[in-house]
DNA sequence: CTGAAAGCGCTTACAG
DNA sequence: CTGAAAGCGCTTACAG
């Protein structure tokens, strides 16, 4: 900009106005304007957005903190967030927390230091400290997929309990009586809500909740641990006739197991899963699926954030959205 | 920082030195150092990295431009790039170009304006202009997955021709004689290389290349268009006994079709695919797969970039890496 | 119609 | 041992 000003014998101020499209408003002579625009084009001037951000106090970048970008669900979320953010001229910096709350805290601090305007977080655990600080500082952020009811934050989540209840209810409707539930990450409230939904459906149908039909998979080694869990259930309750998977990657691994052991999943065993993967339709056409409304989650998260950014200062009331799943009965 | 300086009656300079860990080198008295550190901690001081970047001229952010983050392969690449970048203290801003070179150009310009230190790009088409400008400006970037041999740029790609040749050769080895090839995005050089590999394998085996066994799927509507393509082939050459898919999502949709029409893909029809998806192992255990070495692509891309950033100024010779696929014969 | 000047929050060469 | 000052590249209130 300085170069332009020097080359053209005008002030940086003038250049700045013109380049910002405020030339007319500031009544800068057309000839000067044209001169500047032409020269800027000639030298292929690109504004330094870093400097602009420092001056204006907003970077037009949002931060996305998720367990891993290399996960069907979160990659899709990232895409939808990106699309929506672009409408408001924001771009996205993402970080994978790897379900480690230490890391998560570090990443959040880093993103704040880089002065992203707001954060969209799928929190792994209660990073109490970081979230409290952000609430205190009124730093704009919205939680997705997971949340903490005791904290007054924005969030956009699935109606976990009801989605689960409906899925399991469907299995019950098929006459199944020994329905297992397979979960993971049980420190997460959402996982407990899913389990609640399962229990609910059973008790509404007058079926007992059998402890041996509960399987908990270690997240960090789920590919192998789920085998142990499944074998356990088949050994304890050989007459098991249904499985409800609390999340998609558990179902994926279970399907791998079922195929390998040629277990009949069209008649003998009914399946249900919270969220989906592109192959489920082929692998298990009869599986009942409650799909996360990915697009809406992404859109709402961005809108809530942008809304809060635009009404900076004026206290906005926190948005708490609980969305229904897209039900896909097999 | 200013606040700290005022509160403690020292200069910003001193605060800056201490916070940068240069206190000892600058021989600042221990008592001052401790005072500053303690106060910084107390007020939870977080440096404004925007300001630092503006001063230092590097933002410690890399830009990743890919067709879509919502794609198995690129999401995985993103993850590996992130992991590797973190080792060098870089974070990542990503943008999905949606295979639109207009968009791609815009995104590249935007990222440069935001002063990312370097770019990792899976280019969609020859955005001649943007790439030329970057070469001209010596802006650090590395191409992945796709490249342009006529341009002197860094790149990390798969050995497309050889991987394809080996896959098809495998099908040939099974005694198959009517092997179809299904491709898409044929404006991309890499797709042509894959086709070359296919042709090569056939001619090495003395088999004819039959035009009717060539299927080209429209990228933008591949889910439906592939059906047309497959039906065409089955109609023209009913005795087709093999399919080579030039990329994973084509295989995925084809499998959907094969399952729906109960086509025998264990004996009658042999399959091969460049790159994989988590379900292929279950859906088509006999499919031959050449997996992209995702981790190595990500790692090398980052290392090349960081290396160029660190040797800023001194002319580095461009890295041109052609990696072998990880072969997985079904 | 146009420009000089201050400020955003840092770093660092220079001076004492 | 410590600080005043310049500079990174922008924006904008103020003055003429």
């Amino acid at each position: 900009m300085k170069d332009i000003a020097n080359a053209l014998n005008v002030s940086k101020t003038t250049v700045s106005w013109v380049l910002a499209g405020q030339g007319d408003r500031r009544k800068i002579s057309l000839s000067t304007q044209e001169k500047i625009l032409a020269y800027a084009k000639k030298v292929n001037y690109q504004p330094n957005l870093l400097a602009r951000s420092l001056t204006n106090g907003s970077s037009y970048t949002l931060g996305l903190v998720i367990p891993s970008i290399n996960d069907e669900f979160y990659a899709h979320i990232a895409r939808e967030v990106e699309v929506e953010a672009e409408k408001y001229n924001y771009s996205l910096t993402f970080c994978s927390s790897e379900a480690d709350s230490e890391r998560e805290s570090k990443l959040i601090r880093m993103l704040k230091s880089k002065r992203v305007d707001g954060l969209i977080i799928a929190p792994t655990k209660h990073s109490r400290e970081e979230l409290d600080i952000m609430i205190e500082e009124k730093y704009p952020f919205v939680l997705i997929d997971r949340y903490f009811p005791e904290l007054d934050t924005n969030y956009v989540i699935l109606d976990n309990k009801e989605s689960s209840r409906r899925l399991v209810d469907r299995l019950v409707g098929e006459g199944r009586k020994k329905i297992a539930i397979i979960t993971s990450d049980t420190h997460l409230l959402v996982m407990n809500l899913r389990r609640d939904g399962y229990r609910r459906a059973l008790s509404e149908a007058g079926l007992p909740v059998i402890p041996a039909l509960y399987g908990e998979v270690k997240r960090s080694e789920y590919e192998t641990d789920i085998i142990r869990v499944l074998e356990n259930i088949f050994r304890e309750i050989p007459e098991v006739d249904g499985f409800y998977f609390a999340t998609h990657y558990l179902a994926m691994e279970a399907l791998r197991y079922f195929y390998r052991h040629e277990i009949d999943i069209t008649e003998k065993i009914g399946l249900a899963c919270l969220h989906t993967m592109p192959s489920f339709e082929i692998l298990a056409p009869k599986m009942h699926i409650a799909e996360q409304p990915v697009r809406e989650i992404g859109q709402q998260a961005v809108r809530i954030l942008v809304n809060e950014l635009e009404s900076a200062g004026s206290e906005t009331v926190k948005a708490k959205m609980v969305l229904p799943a897209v039900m896909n009965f097999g």
Side-chain angles (χ1 to χ4, degrees), chain A:
Chain A
M1 226 168 78
K2 209 208 305 182
D3 295 343
I4 300 183
N6 286 341
L8 263 37
N9 270 318
V10 292
S11 74
K12 288 193 305 171
T13 309
T14 306
V15 175
S16 178
W17 287 126
V18 173
L19 259 22
Q22 309 259 283
D24 288 342
R25 211 167 58 71
R26 303 294 303 183
K27 299 176 199 264
I28 289 163
S29 72
L30 272 186
S31 68
T32 314
Q33 288 200 42
E34 278 160 14
K35 218 170 52 178
I36 291 173
L37 258 13
Y39 191 83
K41 182 151 228 166
K42 191 180 124 210
V43 300
N44 189 24
Y45 168 79
Q46 300 287 1
N48 183 329
L49 263 28
L50 234 39
R52 184 180 294 172
S53 296
L54 185 60
T55 305
N56 293 342
S58 79
S59 61
Y60 277 91
T61 302
L62 301 180
L64 179 66
V65 181
I66 50 185
S68 172
I69 189 71
N70 186 23
D71 169 291
E72 180 66 25
F73 172 58
Y74 291 114
H76 196 170
I77 288 274
R79 182 72 193 106
E80 298 297 345
V81 168
E82 185 194 5
V83 168
E84 187 68 14
E86 190 169 315
K87 293 186 193 160
Y88 304 95
N89 286 317
Y90 286 85
S91 48
L92 234 57
T93 291
F94 78 89
C95 297
S96 302
S97 65
E98 284 163 7
D100 169 346
S101 49
E102 279 291 315
R103 254 184 76 77
E104 186 171 271
S105 291
K106 248 180 41 193
L107 294 171
I108 291 175
R109 277 198 299 273
M110 187 268 290
L111 288 170
K112 282 165 62 187
S113 259
K114 286 205 176 177
R115 292 303 188 261
V116 300
D117 293 336
L119 246 22
I120 295 175
I121 310 172
T124 61
K125 243 184 236 176
H126 193 161
S127 313
R128 181 97 216 171
E129 222 175 320
E130 282 319 301
L131 295 187
D132 279 352
I133 292 176
M134 289 199 289
I135 293 171
E136 166 87 11
E137 299 173 335
K138 301 191 194 306
Y139 195 93
F141 72 102
V142 31
L143 303 181
I144 56 171
D145 192 42
R146 293 99 178 260
Y147 77 125
F148 305 104
E150 72 276 22
L151 296 184
D152 183 32
T153 73
N154 297 306
Y155 60 76
V156 184
I157 57 158
L158 184 72
D159 188 343
N160 289 282
K161 186 165 172 185
E162 176 60 9
S163 313
S164 301
R165 194 196 62 73
R166 291 185 64 192
L167 284 173
V168 176
D169 185 57
R170 196 75 182 199
L171 289 175
V172 167
E174 293 171 350
R176 310 193 181 276
K177 310 227 180 288
K178 305 271 171 148
I179 302 168
I181 176 171
I182 312 291
T183 70
S184 187
D185 284 321
T186 47
H187 57 276
L188 293 175
L189 173 60
V190 293
M191 285 304 184
N192 287 306
L193 292 174
R194 290 174 195 184
R195 197 171 166 197
D196 286 349
Y198 161 85
R199 288 205 195 92
R200 184 106 196 250
L202 292 188
S203 72
E204 279 177 359
L207 292 173
V209 175
I210 302 167
L213 286 173
Y214 171 70
E216 193 172 323
V217 175
K218 248 189 261 160
R219 177 68 169 102
S220 55
E221 42 194 84
Y222 71 94
E223 289 103 329
T224 55
D225 199 43
I226 195 168
I227 297 176
R228 179 187 63 75
V229 165
L230 291 173
E231 284 180 343
N232 234 354
I233 290 177
F234 280 116
R235 184 170 351 96
E236 300 276 321
I237 317 274
E239 68 280 24
V240 54
D241 59 4
F243 282 90
Y244 168 49
F245 302 100
T247 189
H248 58 293
Y249 56 81
L250 294 176
M252 185 74 207
E253 292 309 314
L255 288 174
R256 208 183 289 282
Y257 179 89
F258 293 154
Y259 268 78
R260 202 173 327 121
H261 294 80
E262 299 183 339
I263 289 168
D264 172 19
I265 53 168
T266 49
E267 290 294 322
K268 206 164 142 265
I269 291 191
L271 302 177
C273 181
L274 194 63
H275 204 50
T276 188
M277 288 184 78
S279 55
F280 284 179
E281 206 186 315
I282 320 176
L283 284 172
K286 298 213 164 173
M287 180 153 65
H288 306 303
I289 290 171
E291 239 177 280
Q292 294 254 19
V294 178
R295 168 157 307 163
E296 195 167 0
I297 295 175
Q299 286 185 343
Q300 294 298 353
V302 171
R303 286 184 195 153
I304 291 168
L305 211 45
V306 170
N307 180 45
E308 203 168 301
L309 290 172
E310 289 181 347
S311 58
S314 58
E315 206 73 23
T316 53
V317 45
K318 298 302 171 198
K320 295 168 197 298
M321 306 195 65
V322 180
L323 304 176
V326 180
M327 303 303 289
N328 260 310
F329 296 126

